[in-house]
Amino acid sequence: MKLVSFRLIHIRNQEDAAFTPAPQLTVFTGRNGAGKTNLIEAVYFASIGKSFRTSQAEDLIRWDEEEGTILLSFSLRGVTHELSAKLSRREGARFAMNETKLRRKDLLGTFRTVLFTPDEMQLVKGAPQDRRRFLDLEVSQVSPRYYEELLRYGRAVAQRNAALRQAQLRGAEPDIDMWDMQIASGAAYLVRKRQEAVARMNECLAGTEAALTGGAERLAVRYLLREGEGTPDESWYLERLAAARELDARLCHTSVGPHRDDLLFELDGRNIARFGSQGQQRTAILAMKLAEAEFIRRETGEYPVLLLDDIGSELDSARRRALFSYLAEKDIQTLVTAAEYSGTDAQVVPL
């Protein structure tokens, strides 16, 4: 998968600008405030349907305009496709592929990207929901069914919580058997797919970590169930939901399920959040992102486009060289933002 070109019309600080990235490495350079991150954000938004900087799609629209448009042309297995994201302050975001309308849930997996920004440190230091979101997005890009099940599961949890609140207000016993069955079924599937993805990502991590550190460190990811171990089935979740019903009824929330699970990043067998240095944590997260790209290639046959924002502030020169060497060897198309770039193996676009 390669990004052939992209055009931004009334997006952030761009009035109307078109870009044709190189098949391998493109570096957008410029001073702070020049709009480098805006380009990465726009490509990511067209891929995922969300920004990594704001929860409001309308924030991407140029401040003095009512609408904005992102147009992408990308090739997949020799066929070129046109993807558009049209944003309106009144109507939100609308997506189309080859002029055919797309719902956001159908957008995922159409044009695949992997993103690394300075904020990715939250994968190590942030809340469990940050790590679950990372894993869910990774699996959703290669499995439409997973994304459908994730949405269905989320709705079932929300409905169960609402039923618990209503029962508490009425002073009645909650009638949630139907939601328990839906949650148990969805939970068993989601956890199995997550664990499979983590296992495959660990297979990829050995190579990506070695590429960045020369094999000096060993990074691994573990999937942590809220309680128990192994791969729980539907009956296991039904039992846990029944056992937690009294407490859940008092607190009006669902305490059992994959929405409570977590990931643990380990470096040489130790929790990197507690024992890793800042440099080790940054390198580990970047290695995770490269492993994510490799995982997507193994699942789909094509590498995603890699988006690296402000990479110069996150890695020293030796690890930057190692990174770019790895990307060139694997032929992963990469868009990078940096204050400056002095290498000769990239297309440099000053802003």
Side-chain angles (χ1 to χ4, degrees):
M1 179 174 286
K2 299 287 186 179
L3 177 60
V4 178
S5 64
F6 65 102
R7 180 183 175 189
L8 311 184
I9 304 170
H10 300 161
I11 297 295
R12 294 289 191 183
N13 67 328
Q14 299 292 341
E15 177 68 27
D16 188 344
F19 303 90
T20 303
Q24 287 194 334
L25 180 60
T26 301
V27 183
F28 298 102
T29 63
R31 57 178 175 75
N32 290 340
K36 303 184 296 296
T37 300
N38 296 344
L39 307 185
I40 296 288
E41 178 189 31
V43 173
Y44 183 79
F45 185 88
S47 168
I48 304 300
K50 288 185 177 181
S51 167
F52 59 86
R53 301 163 80 188
T54 175
S55 60
Q56 302 297 322
E58 64 191 49
D59 290 346
L60 276 73
I61 302 172
R62 188 178 171 93
W63 70 271
D64 55 348
E65 300 289 344
E66 289 298 314
E67 296 182 339
T69 303
I70 303 166
L71 302 173
L72 293 186
S73 176
F74 68 94
S75 64
L76 178 63
R77 299 185 180 91
V79 178
T80 300
H81 301 279
E82 306 296 331
L83 182 62
S84 68
K86 296 188 176 182
L87 296 84
S88 167
R89 297 195 188 278
R90 289 179 294 178
E91 300 179 20
R94 293 163 291 162
F95 304 94
M97 172 81 159
N98 299 328
E99 299 186 350
T100 299
K101 291 181 180 179
L102 283 178
R103 295 172 297 178
R104 182 181 175 270
K105 70 175 185 177
D106 299 321
L107 178 68
L108 277 177
T110 299
F111 170 66
R112 303 181 184 93
T113 56
V114 169
L115 172 73
F116 176 86
T117 77
D119 290 340
E120 298 297 317
M121 289 295 287
Q122 294 302 309
L123 278 179
V124 168
K125 297 181 175 181
Q129 67 186 34
D130 297 320
R131 292 181 282 276
R132 291 193 298 267
R133 188 181 302 114
F134 156 73
L135 185 56
D136 286 337
L137 179 57
E138 175 186 353
V139 184
S140 294
Q141 288 205 79
V142 302
S143 173
R145 183 191 167 188
Y146 180 89
Y147 187 57
E148 288 281 358
E149 291 288 347
L150 186 65
L151 294 176
R152 188 177 296 113
Y153 174 84
R155 288 193 294 267
V157 171
Q159 293 284 2
R160 185 180 191 267
N161 292 345
L164 291 171
R165 288 192 295 270
Q166 291 167 6
Q168 188 180 79
L169 289 172
R170 295 194 309 267
E173 287 293 319
D175 182 13
I176 54 175
D177 289 344
M178 177 178 68
W179 304 123
D180 282 6
M181 288 187 288
Q182 288 191 25
I183 289 170
S185 174
Y189 172 81
L190 293 175
V191 169
R192 183 175 74 254
K193 296 298 289 184
R194 284 178 176 181
Q195 290 179 332
E196 290 172 358
V198 167
R200 290 172 185 153
M201 197 155 50
N202 276 322
E203 294 173 2
C204 302
L205 266 174
T208 60
E209 181 72 14
L212 296 178
T213 68
E217 298 164 344
R218 182 175 56 84
L219 179 66
V221 187
R222 282 203 292 132
Y223 189 82
L224 300 180
L225 291 165
R226 172 79 172 184
E227 54 182 78
E229 56 186 20
T231 303
D233 58 14
E234 187 173 341
S235 61
W236 186 93
Y237 278 109
L238 282 172
E239 291 174 5
R240 294 303 190 280
L241 287 165
R245 181 170 293 196
E246 183 178 344
L247 178 61
D248 287 356
R250 288 204 304 269
L251 300 178
C252 297
H253 75 178
T254 300
S255 60
V256 175
H259 63 290
R260 309 285 288 178
D261 294 348
D262 200 355
L263 292 178
L264 176 64
F265 298 101
E266 294 181 325
L267 191 65
D268 296 328
R270 307 175 76 184
N271 184 344
I272 193 171
R274 296 176 57 193
F275 299 104
S277 68
Q278 287 281 102
Q280 287 175 321
Q281 290 174 1
R282 290 191 185 98
T283 303
I285 293 172
L286 183 55
M288 284 291 307
K289 293 294 181 172
L290 297 179
E292 181 184 357
E294 183 63 33
F295 167 81
I296 290 175
R297 184 198 67 81
R298 293 186 183 186
E299 294 294 309
T300 67
E302 298 272 348
Y303 277 113
V305 175
L306 188 61
L307 308 174
L308 305 178
D309 186 37
D310 198 18
I311 195 67
S313 68
E314 297 300 307
L315 295 176
D316 59 34
S317 58
R319 297 201 175 185
R320 284 199 301 273
R321 287 194 298 270
L323 168 64
F324 292 143
S325 176
Y326 173 86
L327 296 174
E329 176 188 344
K330 297 292 184 178
D331 192 26
I332 302 175
Q333 187 183 33
T334 307
L335 275 58
V336 177
T337 67
E340 56 186 20
Y341 182 79
S342 57
T344 59
D345 55 347
Q347 172 180 298
V348 179
V349 181
L351 298 179

PDB file of all heavy atoms in Angstrom, residues 47-68:
ATOM      1  N   SER A  47      -7.643   8.145   7.049  1.00  0.00           N
ATOM      2  CA  SER A  47      -7.474   6.702   7.235  1.00  0.00           C
ATOM      3  C   SER A  47      -8.372   6.144   8.328  1.00  0.00           C
ATOM      4  O   SER A  47      -9.011   5.100   8.156  1.00  0.00           O
ATOM      5  CB  SER A  47      -6.009   6.402   7.579  1.00  0.00           C
ATOM      6  OG  SER A  47      -5.832   5.074   8.024  1.00  0.00           O
ATOM      7  N   ILE A  48      -8.457   6.853   9.455  1.00  0.00           N
ATOM      8  CA  ILE A  48      -9.116   6.328  10.652  1.00  0.00           C
ATOM      9  C   ILE A  48     -10.489   6.951  10.880  1.00  0.00           C
ATOM     10  O   ILE A  48     -11.367   6.347  11.491  1.00  0.00           O
ATOM     11  CB  ILE A  48      -8.217   6.575  11.895  1.00  0.00           C
ATOM     12  CG1 ILE A  48      -6.838   5.957  11.672  1.00  0.00           C
ATOM     13  CG2 ILE A  48      -8.848   6.002  13.158  1.00  0.00           C
ATOM     14  CD1 ILE A  48      -6.859   4.453  11.428  1.00  0.00           C
ATOM     15  N   GLY A  49     -10.663   8.176  10.408  1.00  0.00           N
ATOM     16  CA  GLY A  49     -11.921   8.866  10.651  1.00  0.00           C
ATOM     17  C   GLY A  49     -11.918   9.679  11.920  1.00  0.00           C
ATOM     18  O   GLY A  49     -12.934  10.248  12.313  1.00  0.00           O
ATOM     19  N   LYS A  50     -10.765   9.766  12.568  1.00  0.00           N
ATOM     20  CA  LYS A  50     -10.611  10.561  13.776  1.00  0.00           C
ATOM     21  C   LYS A  50      -9.251  11.229  13.765  1.00  0.00           C
ATOM     22  O   LYS A  50      -8.304  10.737  13.158  1.00  0.00           O
ATOM     23  CB  LYS A  50     -10.729   9.691  15.040  1.00  0.00           C
ATOM     24  CG  LYS A  50     -12.121   9.200  15.342  1.00  0.00           C
ATOM     25  CD  LYS A  50     -12.151   8.459  16.675  1.00  0.00           C
ATOM     26  CE  LYS A  50     -13.557   8.016  17.043  1.00  0.00           C
ATOM     27  NZ  LYS A  50     -13.582   7.315  18.355  1.00  0.00           N
ATOM     28  N   SER A  51      -9.156  12.353  14.473  1.00  0.00           N
ATOM     29  CA  SER A  51      -7.881  13.029  14.656  1.00  0.00           C
ATOM     30  C   SER A  51      -7.193  12.503  15.911  1.00  0.00           C
ATOM     31  O   SER A  51      -7.849  12.042  16.842  1.00  0.00           O
ATOM     32  CB  SER A  51      -8.106  14.539  14.797  1.00  0.00           C
ATOM     33  OG  SER A  51      -6.939  15.188  15.268  1.00  0.00           O
ATOM     34  N   PHE A  52      -5.873  12.578  15.937  1.00  0.00           N
ATOM     35  CA  PHE A  52      -5.137  12.227  17.153  1.00  0.00           C
ATOM     36  C   PHE A  52      -4.891  13.461  18.022  1.00  0.00           C
ATOM     37  O   PHE A  52      -4.269  13.349  19.087  1.00  0.00           O
ATOM     38  CB  PHE A  52      -3.802  11.535  16.822  1.00  0.00           C
ATOM     39  CG  PHE A  52      -2.859  12.339  15.971  1.00  0.00           C
ATOM     40  CD1 PHE A  52      -1.980  13.244  16.532  1.00  0.00           C
ATOM     41  CD2 PHE A  52      -2.850  12.184  14.598  1.00  0.00           C
ATOM     42  CE1 PHE A  52      -1.107  13.985  15.746  1.00  0.00           C
ATOM     43  CE2 PHE A  52      -1.981  12.905  13.788  1.00  0.00           C
ATOM     44  CZ  PHE A  52      -1.110  13.807  14.364  1.00  0.00           C
ATOM     45  N   ARG A  53      -5.404  14.627  17.590  1.00  0.00           N
ATOM     46  CA  ARG A  53      -5.163  15.858  18.339  1.00  0.00           C
ATOM     47  C   ARG A  53      -6.434  16.436  18.959  1.00  0.00           C
ATOM     48  O   ARG A  53      -6.349  17.240  19.882  1.00  0.00           O
ATOM     49  CB  ARG A  53      -4.547  16.916  17.419  1.00  0.00           C
ATOM     50  CG  ARG A  53      -3.246  16.498  16.785  1.00  0.00           C
ATOM     51  CD  ARG A  53      -2.896  17.355  15.596  1.00  0.00           C
ATOM     52  NE  ARG A  53      -2.300  18.628  15.956  1.00  0.00           N
ATOM     53  CZ  ARG A  53      -2.051  19.588  15.077  1.00  0.00           C
ATOM     54  NH1 ARG A  53      -2.374  19.424  13.809  1.00  0.00           N
ATOM     55  NH2 ARG A  53      -1.496  20.712  15.474  1.00  0.00           N
ATOM     56  N   THR A  54      -7.596  16.068  18.431  1.00  0.00           N
ATOM     57  CA  THR A  54      -8.845  16.643  18.907  1.00  0.00           C
ATOM     58  C   THR A  54      -9.963  15.641  18.719  1.00  0.00           C
ATOM     59  O   THR A  54      -9.909  14.790  17.827  1.00  0.00           O
ATOM     60  CB  THR A  54      -9.181  17.936  18.139  1.00  0.00           C
ATOM     61  OG1 THR A  54     -10.457  18.415  18.545  1.00  0.00           O
ATOM     62  CG2 THR A  54      -9.206  17.697  16.635  1.00  0.00           C
ATOM     63  N   SER A  55     -10.983  15.752  19.548  1.00  0.00           N
ATOM     64  CA  SER A  55     -12.147  14.877  19.410  1.00  0.00           C
ATOM     65  C   SER A  55     -13.201  15.478  18.485  1.00  0.00           C
ATOM     66  O   SER A  55     -14.189  14.816  18.152  1.00  0.00           O
ATOM     67  CB  SER A  55     -12.769  14.611  20.786  1.00  0.00           C
ATOM     68  OG  SER A  55     -13.187  15.831  21.392  1.00  0.00           O
ATOM     69  N   GLN A  56     -13.001  16.724  18.074  1.00  0.00           N
ATOM     70  CA  GLN A  56     -13.964  17.417  17.219  1.00  0.00           C
ATOM     71  C   GLN A  56     -13.415  17.509  15.792  1.00  0.00           C
ATOM     72  O   GLN A  56     -12.439  18.219  15.542  1.00  0.00           O
ATOM     73  CB  GLN A  56     -14.241  18.824  17.768  1.00  0.00           C
ATOM     74  CG  GLN A  56     -14.767  18.863  19.180  1.00  0.00           C
ATOM     75  CD  GLN A  56     -16.123  18.188  19.309  1.00  0.00           C
ATOM     76  OE1 GLN A  56     -16.972  18.297  18.431  1.00  0.00           O
ATOM     77  NE2 GLN A  56     -16.321  17.484  20.412  1.00  0.00           N
ATOM     78  N   ALA A  57     -14.070  16.823  14.862  1.00  0.00           N
ATOM     79  CA  ALA A  57     -13.599  16.825  13.479  1.00  0.00           C
ATOM     80  C   ALA A  57     -13.582  18.232  12.894  1.00  0.00           C
ATOM     81  O   ALA A  57     -12.707  18.563  12.089  1.00  0.00           O
ATOM     82  CB  ALA A  57     -14.477  15.903  12.633  1.00  0.00           C
ATOM     83  N   GLU A  58     -14.518  19.060  13.313  1.00  0.00           N
ATOM     84  CA  GLU A  58     -14.603  20.417  12.761  1.00  0.00           C
ATOM     85  C   GLU A  58     -13.369  21.253  13.092  1.00  0.00           C
ATOM     86  O   GLU A  58     -13.104  22.264  12.429  1.00  0.00           O
ATOM     87  CB  GLU A  58     -15.848  21.119  13.274  1.00  0.00           C
ATOM     88  CG  GLU A  58     -15.850  21.353  14.776  1.00  0.00           C
ATOM     89  CD  GLU A  58     -17.206  21.805  15.290  1.00  0.00           C
ATOM     90  OE1 GLU A  58     -18.202  21.151  14.942  1.00  0.00           O
ATOM     91  OE2 GLU A  58     -17.242  22.799  16.025  1.00  0.00           O
ATOM     92  N   ASP A  59     -12.583  20.834  14.096  1.00  0.00           N
ATOM     93  CA  ASP A  59     -11.375  21.585  14.437  1.00  0.00           C
ATOM     94  C   ASP A  59     -10.342  21.538  13.309  1.00  0.00           C
ATOM     95  O   ASP A  59      -9.429  22.374  13.275  1.00  0.00           O
ATOM     96  CB  ASP A  59     -10.746  21.028  15.720  1.00  0.00           C
ATOM     97  CG  ASP A  59     -11.588  21.319  16.954  1.00  0.00           C
ATOM     98  OD1 ASP A  59     -12.499  22.168  16.857  1.00  0.00           O
ATOM     99  OD2 ASP A  59     -11.351  20.685  17.995  1.00  0.00           O
ATOM    100  N   LEU A  60     -10.468  20.579  12.403  1.00  0.00           N
ATOM    101  CA  LEU A  60      -9.527  20.491  11.285  1.00  0.00           C
ATOM    102  C   LEU A  60      -9.819  21.519  10.201  1.00  0.00           C
ATOM    103  O   LEU A  60      -8.962  21.789   9.357  1.00  0.00           O
ATOM    104  CB  LEU A  60      -9.541  19.089  10.664  1.00  0.00           C
ATOM    105  CG  LEU A  60      -8.671  18.014  11.324  1.00  0.00           C
ATOM    106  CD1 LEU A  60      -9.278  17.558  12.637  1.00  0.00           C
ATOM    107  CD2 LEU A  60      -8.464  16.830  10.401  1.00  0.00           C
ATOM    108  N   ILE A  61     -11.030  22.067  10.216  1.00  0.00           N
ATOM    109  CA  ILE A  61     -11.403  23.025   9.179  1.00  0.00           C
ATOM    110  C   ILE A  61     -10.690  24.356   9.433  1.00  0.00           C
ATOM    111  O   ILE A  61     -10.601  24.826  10.569  1.00  0.00           O
ATOM    112  CB  ILE A  61     -12.929  23.238   9.163  1.00  0.00           C
ATOM    113  CG1 ILE A  61     -13.652  21.895   8.938  1.00  0.00           C
ATOM    114  CG2 ILE A  61     -13.325  24.238   8.082  1.00  0.00           C
ATOM    115  CD1 ILE A  61     -15.157  21.996   9.095  1.00  0.00           C
ATOM    116  N   ARG A  62     -10.177  24.946   8.366  1.00  0.00           N
ATOM    117  CA  ARG A  62      -9.526  26.257   8.470  1.00  0.00           C
ATOM    118  C   ARG A  62     -10.460  27.223   9.197  1.00  0.00           C
ATOM    119  O   ARG A  62     -11.667  27.271   8.924  1.00  0.00           O
ATOM    120  CB  ARG A  62      -9.189  26.751   7.065  1.00  0.00           C
ATOM    121  CG  ARG A  62      -8.350  28.008   7.002  1.00  0.00           C
ATOM    122  CD  ARG A  62      -8.053  28.336   5.537  1.00  0.00           C
ATOM    123  NE  ARG A  62      -7.431  29.638   5.389  1.00  0.00           N
ATOM    124  CZ  ARG A  62      -6.121  29.852   5.355  1.00  0.00           C
ATOM    125  NH1 ARG A  62      -5.288  28.820   5.450  1.00  0.00           N
ATOM    126  NH2 ARG A  62      -5.631  31.074   5.202  1.00  0.00           N
ATOM    127  N   TRP A  63      -9.919  27.987  10.095  1.00  0.00           N
ATOM    128  CA  TRP A  63     -10.724  28.739  11.072  1.00  0.00           C
ATOM    129  C   TRP A  63     -11.746  29.679  10.443  1.00  0.00           C
ATOM    130  O   TRP A  63     -12.809  29.911  11.000  1.00  0.00           O
ATOM    131  CB  TRP A  63      -9.808  29.527  12.011  1.00  0.00           C
ATOM    132  CG  TRP A  63      -9.101  30.685  11.370  1.00  0.00           C
ATOM    133  CD1 TRP A  63      -7.901  30.677  10.731  1.00  0.00           C
ATOM    134  CD2 TRP A  63      -9.567  32.042  11.302  1.00  0.00           C
ATOM    135  NE1 TRP A  63      -7.580  31.919  10.272  1.00  0.00           N
ATOM    136  CE2 TRP A  63      -8.579  32.792  10.610  1.00  0.00           C
ATOM    137  CE3 TRP A  63     -10.697  32.704  11.770  1.00  0.00           C
ATOM    138  CZ2 TRP A  63      -8.702  34.151  10.371  1.00  0.00           C
ATOM    139  CZ3 TRP A  63     -10.830  34.070  11.524  1.00  0.00           C
ATOM    140  CH2 TRP A  63      -9.839  34.778  10.829  1.00  0.00           C
ATOM    141  N   ASP A  64     -11.481  30.207   9.241  1.00  0.00           N
ATOM    142  CA  ASP A  64     -12.399  31.163   8.632  1.00  0.00           C
ATOM    143  C   ASP A  64     -13.273  30.537   7.545  1.00  0.00           C
ATOM    144  O   ASP A  64     -13.852  31.241   6.718  1.00  0.00           O
ATOM    145  CB  ASP A  64     -11.619  32.339   8.043  1.00  0.00           C
ATOM    146  CG  ASP A  64     -10.540  31.900   7.054  1.00  0.00           C
ATOM    147  OD1 ASP A  64     -10.252  30.683   6.993  1.00  0.00           O
ATOM    148  OD2 ASP A  64      -9.979  32.764   6.345  1.00  0.00           O
ATOM    149  N   GLU A  65     -13.369  29.191   7.527  1.00  0.00           N
ATOM    150  CA  GLU A  65     -14.158  28.496   6.523  1.00  0.00           C
ATOM    151  C   GLU A  65     -15.222  27.625   7.185  1.00  0.00           C
ATOM    152  O   GLU A  65     -15.103  27.260   8.360  1.00  0.00           O
ATOM    153  CB  GLU A  65     -13.259  27.608   5.647  1.00  0.00           C
ATOM    154  CG  GLU A  65     -12.172  28.360   4.888  1.00  0.00           C
ATOM    155  CD  GLU A  65     -12.730  29.218   3.757  1.00  0.00           C
ATOM    156  OE1 GLU A  65     -13.890  28.998   3.374  1.00  0.00           O
ATOM    157  OE2 GLU A  65     -11.995  30.098   3.271  1.00  0.00           O
ATOM    158  N   GLU A  66     -16.258  27.281   6.419  1.00  0.00           N
ATOM    159  CA  GLU A  66     -17.319  26.420   6.919  1.00  0.00           C
ATOM    160  C   GLU A  66     -17.104  24.955   6.586  1.00  0.00           C
ATOM    161  O   GLU A  66     -17.655  24.066   7.232  1.00  0.00           O
ATOM    162  CB  GLU A  66     -18.677  26.867   6.331  1.00  0.00           C
ATOM    163  CG  GLU A  66     -19.189  28.180   6.882  1.00  0.00           C
ATOM    164  CD  GLU A  66     -19.430  28.119   8.373  1.00  0.00           C
ATOM    165  OE1 GLU A  66     -20.047  27.137   8.837  1.00  0.00           O
ATOM    166  OE2 GLU A  66     -18.986  29.051   9.084  1.00  0.00           O
ATOM    167  N   GLU A  67     -16.285  24.692   5.567  1.00  0.00           N
ATOM    168  CA  GLU A  67     -16.046  23.314   5.139  1.00  0.00           C
ATOM    169  C   GLU A  67     -14.574  23.114   4.798  1.00  0.00           C
ATOM    170  O   GLU A  67     -13.857  24.070   4.479  1.00  0.00           O
ATOM    171  CB  GLU A  67     -16.903  22.965   3.911  1.00  0.00           C
ATOM    172  CG  GLU A  67     -18.399  22.994   4.175  1.00  0.00           C
ATOM    173  CD  GLU A  67     -19.199  22.591   2.958  1.00  0.00           C
ATOM    174  OE1 GLU A  67     -18.650  22.672   1.834  1.00  0.00           O
ATOM    175  OE2 GLU A  67     -20.368  22.183   3.121  1.00  0.00           O
ATOM    176  N   GLY A  68     -14.145  21.867   4.867  1.00  0.00           N
ATOM    177  CA  GLY A  68     -12.793  21.505   4.465  1.00  0.00           C
ATOM    178  C   GLY A  68     -12.806  20.123   3.833  1.00  0.00           C
ATOM    179  O   GLY A  68     -13.717  19.327   4.083  1.00  0.00           O
TER     180      GLY A  68
END
